[in-house]
Amino acid sequence: PVKADIFDHVVRRLQNQGFQVYAWLPTLSGQWLTRQHPEDVVTAYDTKGKGWYRRATPFSPRVREQLRALVRDLALYTPIDGILFQDDLYLNDYEDFSPAAKAAFSTRFGRELTPSALRDPVIRRQWTQMKTQALTDLTRDLMDSVREFRPQALSARNIYAEAVLNPQSVEWIAPDYRDYLKIYDYTVVMAYPYMEKQEARAVEWLGELAAAALHNKQDSTKVVFKLQNYDWQKNRWLARTELSRQVR
C-alpha cells in the first residue's frame, strides 16, 4: 500500500523528457519482510561476523514470494524500464545460519550446518556456491515477475569494488563479478574510494578498478560505474572539483 502514487508520476514525467527509469530497490534488507517473521532473518554463527545490512534469508520460500509480489505490483502499476538491485544481496562467510538456510544445507549435504562442518574445504566451497546461486536465482525470479508486465525491462545489479578487484572475495561476500556480466544486462560497480578507505589515492584506485572491471573489452558496454558523492566517514559532500577529477 502507498499513500499516493508519486513514483508512477515521477517515472512518467522523466520518460516524457527522454530518460530511461530504473527502479533501484532494496531486496533482502526490506525490514517489512522480517518484522513479524524473525525466524527469516539472516544470522551468523559468530556475532562478530554479522553483515552490515539486517537482511531476510534468500532460502525462505515466504521471503521469495513476498518479493515477487512486490516487484510484480511495481511493474504492473509503473512503466519502469528496468530494475537495479541494491547491494544488500550478499551473504558473508559467517552467514547464513537461519532455519531456512540450515534446512537447505541439510537437504544438499545430508548433515547439519555447523561451523565445524564448514571447516571441510570442499563443503565450504560448495556451500559458498549454493549461497551465490540462491541470491542469483532470487534476482532471476524477480525479473521474471517484472517481465510479466514489462517484457522489455532490463536488469542491473550493484557489486562491491572488492569483488571486482579480488576474485577470491566471492567466499567472503558471495557475489561473483564474472557471473554478473553473464546474467545481468548491466553490472553497476560501486566505485566508492572513500568508503573503501582509499581517500589518499582515490584517482589511482579508480584507475585500477576501471582496468580490472574492463579487462575484457567485450564486457565494457555492460559495466556502469557508480561514483560516491558523499563521504560517510567525515559526514560531508565531496567537492565538485573532486568528483570531476574522479569522472575524468
Side-chain angles (χ1 to χ4, degrees):
V2 295
K3 292 181 179 179
D5 193 8
I6 295 171
F7 184 64
D8 175 62
H9 172 72
V10 171
V11 168
R12 292 176 188 274
R13 286 288 298 273
L14 286 167
Q15 288 174 334
N16 287 340
Q17 296 296 318
F19 288 94
Q20 288 188 335
V21 183
Y22 283 65
W24 177 12
L25 74 161
T27 48
L28 297 180
S29 67
Q31 300 304 301
W32 59 280
L33 290 166
T34 56
R35 194 165 291 124
Q36 296 179 359
H37 294 273
E39 73 279 5
D40 281 337
V41 174
V42 168
T43 56
Y45 67 78
D46 189 323
T47 53
K48 71 178 182 181
K50 287 181 66 175
W52 49 93
Y53 278 111
R54 185 179 189 272
R55 287 147 292 141
T57 175
F59 291 103
S60 166
R62 182 195 65 82
V63 167
R64 292 197 298 271
E65 181 49 46
Q66 286 207 284
L67 286 171
R68 281 195 294 265
L70 171 67
V71 298
R72 193 179 297 122
D73 277 4
L74 181 67
L76 172 62
Y77 293 109
T78 310
I80 52 175
D81 295 293
I83 294 283
L84 169 58
F85 293 107
Q86 172 70 308
D87 57 285
D88 58 347
L89 281 164
Y90 75 90
L91 293 168
N92 69 34
D93 47 347
Y94 288 87
E95 299 166 333
D96 175 22
F97 275 69
S98 66
K102 287 182 175 181
F105 183 94
S106 178
T107 299
R108 171 67 176 80
F109 297 102
R111 60 187 292 185
E112 184 182 0
L113 174 59
T114 63
S116 60
L118 296 180
R119 294 194 187 103
D120 182 324
V122 175
I123 290 180
R124 186 182 184 89
R125 183 172 64 254
Q126 292 177 348
W127 178 232
T128 297
Q129 292 169 349
M130 270 187 71
K131 293 192 292 185
T132 300
Q133 192 63 49
L135 297 168
T136 299
D137 287 347
L138 174 61
T139 62
R140 282 177 163 147
D141 286 349
L142 297 183
M143 287 309 302
D144 286 344
S145 295
V146 168
R147 287 170 179 148
E148 289 179 26
F149 301 103
R150 307 293 167 191
Q152 305 305 315
L154 300 180
S155 63
R157 184 173 169 187
N158 283 342
I159 192 168
Y160 292 106
E162 185 64 23
V164 178
L165 292 167
N166 183 2
Q168 297 302 315
S169 68
V170 66
E171 185 171 318
W172 311 331
I173 51 177
D176 189 313
Y177 180 59
R178 293 160 299 182
D179 285 348
Y180 275 43
L181 293 171
K182 297 174 188 173
I183 295 165
Y184 305 104
D185 295 296
Y186 295 105
T187 295
V188 181
V189 180
M190 297 169 62
Y192 292 3
Y194 292 84
M195 186 180 81
E196 300 290 350
K197 298 180 173 57
Q198 298 291 334
E199 179 177 359
R201 53 189 300 273
V203 173
E204 181 184 355
W205 180 83
L206 285 168
E208 294 167 0
L209 178 61
L214 304 176
H215 178 71
N216 185 345
K217 300 303 181 186
Q218 292 177 322
D219 297 326
S220 62
T221 58
K222 301 184 69 176
V223 180
V224 177
F225 293 96
K226 184 151 66 77
L227 293 175
Q228 175 182 6
N229 67 343
Y230 189 79
D231 182 353
W232 293 285
Q233 271 73 41
K234 296 182 178 179
N235 294 319
R236 67 180 182 93
W237 295 100
L238 269 63
R240 182 181 295 245
T241 53
E242 171 68 6
L243 278 176
S244 296
R245 190 164 75 251
Q246 292 185 16
V247 170
R248 287 196 301 273

